[in-house]
Amino acid sequence: MDKVLFLALTLSLLAVLTQVNCSSSKLKRVRRAQVLGFDWKNCGKPDDPAVLKTLNLSPDPISIPGDLIASASGSTAVELKSPLSLDVTLEKEVVGIWVKIPCVDELGSCHYRDICDILNQLIPPGQDCPEPLHTYGLPCRCPFKAGSYSLPKSDFYLPNMDLPYWLTNGNYRVQGVLSSQGKELSCVKVALSLNSDN
């Protein structure tokens, strides 16, 4: 995961998602879940300007609900401002074959036209960034200025959540490509296993 703003965006979204609860009839309440074998790597081009240098999550497995300890660092050589598009490819392993999950209700392999708009909806302008981003002076909405970002080891609480029925158990791969005006800025791949009780 050597592409950065994904640091700021990933941390912003992580902090925000711990506070957001979706309410859709297509989602089901997960009483308990575990994320096992979380792994990430960079998938971008050598000249991508946004670089996530480190991302550490513990414990392994991560329990939901439960406590999560996260630290990260990265940098961006350019200001990351609206519009910032994000292309997500989500795959699930089915009998040894990786199957691409289509975009359904904004979940799955989706194209998001502007992550900045989404961040503004989750954390309205003028509102403080959630902790611990606020304490460390890390941004949670666009623009993300050029420079280096670092989140020391920080505690997060992951609450109960609602998940689509197809996203509750299995091995997953996720790739995110961040772009602006057709130019790739960053690319990150994540792999994990999810086990849940209904």
Side-chain angles (χ1 to χ4, degrees):
M1 238 184 184
D2 267 335
K3 304 304 172 186
V4 85
L5 165 70
F6 250 44
L7 159 65
L9 279 180
T10 299
L11 295 175
S12 297
L13 290 173
L14 175 63
V16 170
L17 289 176
T18 62
Q19 302 175 11
V20 172
N21 189 9
C22 299
S23 58
S24 168
S25 60
K26 296 178 183 172
L27 302 179
K28 67 178 179 178
R29 173 66 56 175
V30 174
R31 288 192 314 250
R32 279 186 315 214
Q34 286 190 324
V35 175
L36 301 102
F38 178 88
D39 191 30
W40 62 267
K41 67 178 180 177
N42 169 54
C43 54
K45 301 171 186 161
D47 62 346
D48 280 359
V51 180
L52 186 57
K53 296 177 181 176
T54 64
L55 175 60
N56 299 300
L57 303 178
S58 63
D60 186 7
I62 298 166
S63 294
I64 303 171
D67 295 317
L68 170 70
I69 299 171
S71 64
S73 65
S75 63
T76 178
V78 298
E79 182 178 60
L80 301 169
K81 58 185 178 179
S82 184
L84 281 178
S85 66
L86 178 64
D87 287 295
V88 175
T89 303
L90 175 62
E91 297 175 303
K92 182 175 183 176
E93 188 177 20
V94 180
V95 293
I97 299 171
W98 289 98
V99 177
K100 183 177 176 181
I101 296 174
C103 187
V104 177
D105 293 332
E106 299 289 317
L107 293 172
S109 299
C110 300
H111 171 77
Y112 302 96
R113 283 188 30 223
D114 193 358
I115 290 297
C116 296
D117 285 344
I118 294 171
L119 290 173
N120 284 339
Q121 291 170 24
L122 295 173
I123 310 168
Q127 181 177 318
D128 285 344
C129 291
E131 291 297 341
L133 302 182
H134 181 70
T135 294
Y136 294 113
L138 294 171
C140 59
R141 66 181 67 82
C142 301
F144 295 87
K145 295 180 180 177
S148 296
Y149 294 89
S150 179
L151 177 72
K153 273 189 178 179
S154 299
D155 295 326
F156 293 87
Y157 179 73
L158 301 175
N160 282 320
M161 59 181 59
D162 297 332
L163 292 174
Y165 67 91
W166 46 263
L167 190 60
T168 50
N169 286 289
N171 298 323
Y172 295 91
R173 295 192 307 204
V174 184
Q175 176 176 293
V177 178
L178 188 69
S179 304
S180 179
Q181 300 176 344
K183 177 175 172 39
E184 180 179 307
L185 301 174
S186 180
C187 178
V188 173
K189 283 185 179 178
V190 172
L192 56 88
S193 295
L194 182 62
N195 293 329
S196 66
D197 297 334
N198 299 327

